Amino acid sequence: MGSLRRRLHSETIMEEEKEGLPPFVRSWRQLYGLVIANLILMIMLFWWFTEAFS
């Protein structure tokens, strides 16, 4: 009985953690990885524009 209760509790927590995520990611860690990758890409792109057009 306690095992079932713990499993249901952990499933509820997992559902609450996924609340608010966009449909194209499965976890908050993946979302943060995409945000950081996007930031790095934008910095590199702006650096390239600066070098090319100055």
Side-chain angles (χ1 to χ4, degrees):
M1 189 79 170
S3 172
L4 178 61
R5 184 174 292 157
R6 271 186 255 128
R7 189 168 10 132
L8 288 175
H9 180 68
S10 66
E11 288 175 4
T12 303
I13 290 173
M14 289 174 54
E15 289 174 10
E16 288 175 359
E17 288 177 355
K18 290 183 179 185
E19 190 173 320
L21 284 175
F24 53 86
V25 294
R26 294 186 195 143
S27 67
W28 286 105
R29 184 178 188 148
Q30 190 178 25
L31 180 63
Y32 285 127
L34 285 173
V35 169
I36 290 171
N38 184 37
L39 176 62
I40 292 169
L41 178 66
M42 295 296 287
I43 289 171
M44 291 172 55
L45 186 64
F46 288 138
W47 172 79
W48 180 74
F49 281 160
T50 302
E51 292 295 317
F53 298 110
S54 63

